[in-house]
Amino acid sequence: GIDVTVAARALDDVRAGAHPALTELTALIEALRARRRGLPLAISVGRLHRVKGMATVVEAWASDPTLPQRCNLLIVGGDLAEPSVDEREQLDLIAEVVARHPAAAGGLLLPGHRPNGVVARWMAAAQLGLPGVIDPGGAYVCGSLKEEFGLALVEAMAIGLPVVAPDHGGPATYIQDGVTGFLVDTRSPRAVADGLACALDL
């Protein structure tokens, strides 16, 4: 399980508009082009490792004809200063996606790893929005090929975000498909993109 008071505090901080994590997120968004401000936020949190499917999430979002216009994408995780071999592989794959879809590149945020308290507030901002910076109604995306449980998914659900998750393993036992999230074949960028579009609609 998770400590739901962390989610409650994060939501309270976003409603109050006061926390260093929100200042940092605001700066990340404001560094984008002006037309990228005021969009909802799709967020994914995890290690930059093949099994976590971060490059697939970026591919799903960037290659879709509408998703880059509907939301910005925030990928949280990894040591960007001194990446491991696995992290370098994922970063290279993400760079290849961006090169193929340059129009989407302006909405992709890769801040690297952040502590749990920061991530909770960023998820809360994706849910509730930040006036003039992020529209409410974001979503959480998990592109894992294998997920026995999915702690970050449960944390996102505690915040109130609809989630996109693997249609097998742990997430399939606690996500109500079409109600609290969407279960998809995470091997397929197309399926992940469709799930994200549905989550934003929800």
Side-chain angles (χ1 to χ4, degrees), residues 97-133:
V97 171
V98 169
R100 283 187 281 114
H101 304 282
L108 176 62
L109 298 159
L110 291 165
H113 172 76
R114 290 296 185 279
N116 185 259
V118 171
V119 171
R121 284 160 181 86
W122 287 4
M123 287 184 183
Q127 166 67 352
L128 298 177
L130 293 174
V133 182

Side-chain angles (χ1 to χ4, degrees), residues 43-180:
I43 182 169
S44 190
V45 181
R47 293 178 294 123
L48 291 181
H49 186 279
R50 183 187 66 83
V51 77
K52 291 296 185 182
M54 292 302 197
T56 301
V57 170
V58 176
E59 173 79 27
W61 171 79
S63 64
D64 186 87
T66 62
L67 284 175
Q69 285 73 52
R70 291 188 67 184
C71 65
N72 292 313
L73 177 63
L74 176 63
I75 302 289
V76 185
D79 183 344
L80 304 187
E82 297 183 18
S84 67
V85 172
D86 290 329
E87 289 170 336
R88 182 76 269 159
E89 178 188 59
Q90 289 300 296
L91 290 169
D92 288 346
L93 288 172
I94 290 169
E96 288 175 18
V97 171
V98 169
R100 283 187 281 114
H101 304 282
L108 176 62
L109 298 159
L110 291 165
H113 172 76
R114 290 296 185 279
N116 185 259
V118 171
V119 171
R121 284 160 181 86
W122 287 4
M123 287 184 183
Q127 166 67 352
L128 298 177
L130 293 174
V133 182
I134 299 169
D135 265 7
Y140 184 87
V141 190
C142 172
S144 293
L145 296 174
K146 178 182 176 185
E147 198 69 77
E148 280 84 3
F149 181 66
L151 192 61
L153 279 163
V154 178
E155 291 170 338
M157 293 171 73
I159 293 287
L161 287 170
V163 299
V164 180
D167 59 4
H168 56 279
T173 69
Y174 58 78
I175 293 169
Q176 192 174 356
D177 193 39
V179 178
T180 58

Side-chain angles (χ1 to χ4, degrees), residues 2-30:
I2 62 165
D3 182 357
V4 294
T5 63
V6 174
R9 284 196 298 270
L11 290 164
D12 285 345
D13 285 341
V14 171
R15 291 185 186 104
H19 192 278
L22 302 178
T23 303
E24 182 184 7
L25 181 57
T26 296
L28 287 170
I29 299 295
E30 289 183 341

